[in-house]
Amino acid sequence: MSIATAQAHHSARVPGEAGIWIFIAGDLLAFTLFFVLIALGNGDQPQVFARGRASLDVGLGVANTLLLLTGSWLVAAGVETSRKGAGRVASRYFLAGAACGLGFVANKFIEWSHLIRLGASPQTDDFYMFFFVFTGIHLFHVLLGTVYMLVLSRACAKRPAGPERDRFVECGGLFWHLVDLLWIVLFALLYLI
């Protein structure tokens, strides 16, 4: 297949599989409910949320945002490189994306540890309940995405290029971008607004 034919093939279809799109839609729906709950809580208890927000380290939140955005760039580069048949190069992109995910996890544990030492917990008030529960659910997504990036790294290094690998790689990329998008909204709602 020529490069032009391969590019036409990829641009003529929706990336990934139908199942990943159903999963993304369901996850977006669930997180939309989380976002609404945070916004309502902020409206009902502005002093509690302002006090909780002031205890957060915005620098760690920014660092986590940059880690996920960098990870998204690396994953997008890995998907594109994989589509071009350069599996070993794509493998390194996915491995670097997984490293960004691990950096996020480490930062989140540093942040949680600091807050717990200050006496904050999900039982403290509604802000911390939302913060720990929803960032915890998001952290689980980051962990899943990080494992998927490691699997993609291995798959690109070992599996031959082709439509099956392309779909597998695209599903991983779509999931990682979902994780990134969810964090950006959580970061804005919990740290900034």
Side-chain angles (χ1 to χ4, degrees):
M1 179 180 327
S2 74
I3 292 175
T5 306
Q7 289 173 338
H9 168 74
H10 289 294
S11 63
R13 66 176 185 78
V14 174
E17 302 272 346
I20 191 69
W21 288 105
I22 292 168
F23 175 81
I24 286 171
D27 224 28
L28 283 172
L29 187 62
F31 269 86
T32 298
L33 176 61
F34 299 164
F35 301 151
V36 168
L37 290 173
I38 293 168
L40 290 173
N42 191 32
D44 288 344
Q45 303 174 58
Q47 296 83 7
V48 169
F49 275 68
R51 191 171 46 249
R53 191 171 291 114
S55 72
L56 300 181
D57 185 337
V58 177
L60 282 177
V62 168
N64 277 338
T65 303
L66 292 174
L67 281 166
L68 289 183
L69 288 172
T70 301
S72 279
W73 179 84
L74 291 163
V75 168
V79 170
E80 189 58 33
T81 304
S82 176
R83 284 179 180 156
K84 293 177 180 173
R88 295 217 182 268
V89 176
S91 175
R92 289 191 288 272
Y93 278 120
F94 293 126
L95 196 56
C100 289
L102 291 175
F104 181 97
V105 171
N107 273 354
K108 189 51 61 188
F109 278 107
I110 289 167
E111 180 179 41
W112 283 354
S113 297
H114 173 72
L115 290 171
I116 290 167
R117 278 194 306 275
L118 292 176
S121 76
Q123 292 81 27
T124 302
D125 58 35
D126 284 352
F127 175 82
Y128 288 116
M129 187 262 308
F130 287 143
F131 179 82
F132 281 105
V133 170
F134 295 151
T135 62
I137 293 169
H138 180 265
L139 181 63
F140 180 70
H141 282 69
V142 172
L143 288 169
L144 288 177
T146 300
V147 169
Y148 202 136
M149 291 306 108
L150 293 172
V151 170
L152 286 180
S153 178
R154 183 170 170 81
C156 284
K158 304 274 185 199
R159 290 170 74 177
E164 183 180 309
R165 186 178 84 181
D166 286 350
R167 284 190 300 275
F168 183 66
V169 165
E170 289 166 353
C171 287
L174 290 166
F175 180 76
W176 190 266
H177 295 314
L178 168 70
V179 169
D180 193 7
L181 172 68
L182 296 175
W183 174 254
I184 289 169
V185 178
L186 278 174
F187 175 67
L189 288 172
L190 293 171
Y191 292 77
L192 304 176
I193 296 176

